[in-house]
Amino acid sequence: MQLPLFVKIVEVGPRDGLQSESTPIDTDTKVEFINKLSDTGLSVIEATSMVKAGRIPQLSDAEEVYQKINKLANVTYPALVPNLQGMERALAVGVDEIALFASASEHFSQDNINCSTAESLQRFEPVIELAQEYAIPIRAYLSCAFGHPSDNTITADKVADLAELLTTMGCIEISLADTYGICTPLQTQRILTSVSERISIDQLAVHFHDTRGQALANILASLETGVSVIDASVAGLGGCPYAKSASGNVATEDVVYMLNGMNIETGIDLNALIDAGNFICNKLGRDNQSKVGRLGVKP
Ligand code: MG
C-alpha cells in the first residue's frame, strides 16, 4: 500500500479543543498559544469560531483573538462559521479560510444545531455565496460520518452523498469526523473508499476522536486509503461540547510522532509542538492528554 509522502495536519486545538475546556482562558493566553503553534511549522491552525456570543463562552473573544494573533504568511488560520452573521464577523476581521459544520446524523444535527441536516445545508448557501464573493476557501466538517451510538441510519452511501453535495456547493475540503470515537479501522476504510469513489481523495480530511483508543489505528487506516489531511488537537484538547461521552480529540503530538516514525513529512517540529501543548495544559491546569507530550520525544 502506497502511503502519502506528506501529510497536512490541521491543528484544531484553539477552536475545537478550547471550546470544550471549562477553565476560562484569557485572550492574551489564547493569542500566545496560537503564536506558539504558528512557530511549530504547522500550516493550518483553526483559530476560533464565530459562534453567537454566549453560545460557547470560551470563544466569546473570537474577533479579538483573530485580530491579535501573529499571522504567518505560510500558515492558514480558518475560523468556524455557523451562519451568515458569523460569516460577516469573519469577513470583518479578515479570516483567510472558513469552516462549516454539518452532520451525517439527523439526531446529532437536531441536538447540536436544532435543525435537520438538509436545513443546515440550506443555511450554508448564503454563507458560501458571501465567502466565494471574497474568494475565501471553505472547508466543511461532516460530524458523525463514522457513526453515531444511537443513530443507525448513517450508511457509507449517505456519507458519500453528503460529502459530494458539500463539494458541489463549493467546499474544497471535507473533514469526516468520528465525533463519538466509535469507528474501527476496517470500517474507516470502507467509508473512506466509498466516499473517494464520489469525490477526490485529495479533498478528504479525517477528524478522529480517541474516545475508545482507536484514533491512531483509524488514522493509519486512512493513510492506507490515500487520505493525506489529518485533523488533530495539541495535547488532545477538547472533544465535543455537545457529545458528552466524546472526550478526546486525537493529540497532534501523537499523530506527528507516528508520522515521523513512518518517514511521512509534516513540516512540524515535534519538540516545539510539545512545548505548545504543555504551555496550554499549564494554563488550563490539566494533564496533557498526549502520551508523547507527557514523555517527550526521547524519554
Ligand atoms: Mg473534534
Side-chain angles (χ1 to χ4, degrees):
M1 182 62 68
Q2 180 73 40
L3 293 165
L5 299 174
F6 185 90
V7 159
K8 180 176 89 173
I9 301 281
V10 176
E11 171 58 49
V12 300
R15 195 283 299 174
D16 188 20
L18 285 185
Q19 76 173 17
S20 49
E21 296 290 340
S22 53
T23 305
I25 295 294
D26 63 68
T27 304
D28 288 346
T29 302
K30 285 176 200 156
V31 170
E32 193 178 349
F33 175 43
I34 295 170
N35 288 347
K36 282 179 185 294
L37 290 170
S38 291
D39 290 336
T40 64
L42 278 160
S43 61
V44 187
I45 303 169
E46 191 178 58
T48 190
S49 170
M50 298 292 167
V51 281
K52 205 191 287 179
R55 182 100 206 263
I56 300 177
Q58 184 75 279
L59 303 182
S60 59
D61 54 358
E63 280 105 327
E64 203 185 343
V65 168
Y66 205 89
Q67 283 172 311
K68 282 187 168 173
I69 54 174
N70 181 21
K71 296 177 198 74
L72 303 188
N74 52 353
V75 182
T76 307
Y77 301 89
L80 190 80
V81 165
N83 50 34
L84 193 54
Q85 292 90 324
M87 186 64 219
E88 284 160 356
R89 289 169 58 198
L91 283 175
V93 294
V95 165
D96 57 7
E97 182 172 310
I98 61 161
L100 305 175
F101 182 90
S103 181
S105 162
E106 292 294 338
H107 278 47
F108 189 86
S109 192
Q110 291 291 354
D111 287 353
N112 185 11
I113 46 179
N114 306 311
C115 65
S116 70
T117 298
E119 283 165 344
S120 71
L121 297 183
Q122 254 174 17
R123 285 185 199 173
F124 287 165
E125 284 171 11
V127 176
I128 290 173
E129 207 172 301
L130 193 53
Q132 288 177 333
E133 197 182 320
Y134 288 85
I136 295 171
I138 307 158
R139 133 182 258 261
Y141 289 104
L142 192 56
S143 73
C144 304
F146 296 97
H148 182 288
S150 56
D151 179 352
N152 58 11
T153 66
I154 306 163
T155 59
D157 239 14
K158 183 176 181 183
V159 176
D161 282 345
L162 287 167
E164 188 176 21
L165 182 57
L166 286 163
T167 54
T168 308
M169 290 172 74
C171 301
I172 55 158
E173 189 169 277
I174 314 297
S175 176
L176 301 179
D178 185 14
T179 311
Y180 287 85
I182 55 179
C183 201
T184 48
L186 297 184
Q187 189 190 358
T188 293
Q189 290 186 331
R190 275 195 292 273
I191 291 165
L192 290 174
T193 301
S194 114
V195 177
S196 66
E197 282 162 6
R198 309 273 285 280
I199 68 171
S200 163
I201 196 86
D202 295 333
Q203 289 182 285
L204 278 180
V206 288
H207 185 114
F208 285 108
H209 286 182
D210 203 33
T211 319
R212 292 170 179 80
Q214 305 299 300
L216 285 180
N218 285 332
I219 287 171
L220 178 56
S222 304
L223 296 170
E224 286 176 348
T225 60
V227 169
S228 61
V229 184
I230 297 170
D231 296 0
S233 180
V234 74
L237 292 184
C240 175
Y242 308 108
K244 277 197 173 55
S245 63
S247 61
N249 279 306
V250 68
T252 317
E253 301 91 315
D254 297 354
V255 175
V256 172
Y257 180 89
M258 180 176 89
L259 296 172
N260 284 350
M262 295 166 71
N263 290 321
I264 296 173
E265 286 289 330
T266 62
I268 297 168
D269 175 345
L270 182 53
N271 284 309
L273 189 65
I274 290 171
D275 288 346
N278 286 327
F279 167 82
I280 196 66
C281 287
N282 286 336
K283 299 290 183 183
L284 287 164
R286 56 163 275 180
D287 292 339
N288 194 325
Q289 298 301 301
S290 164
K291 292 185 171 71
V292 172
R294 286 201 296 269
L295 284 170
V297 180
K298 287 181 182 162

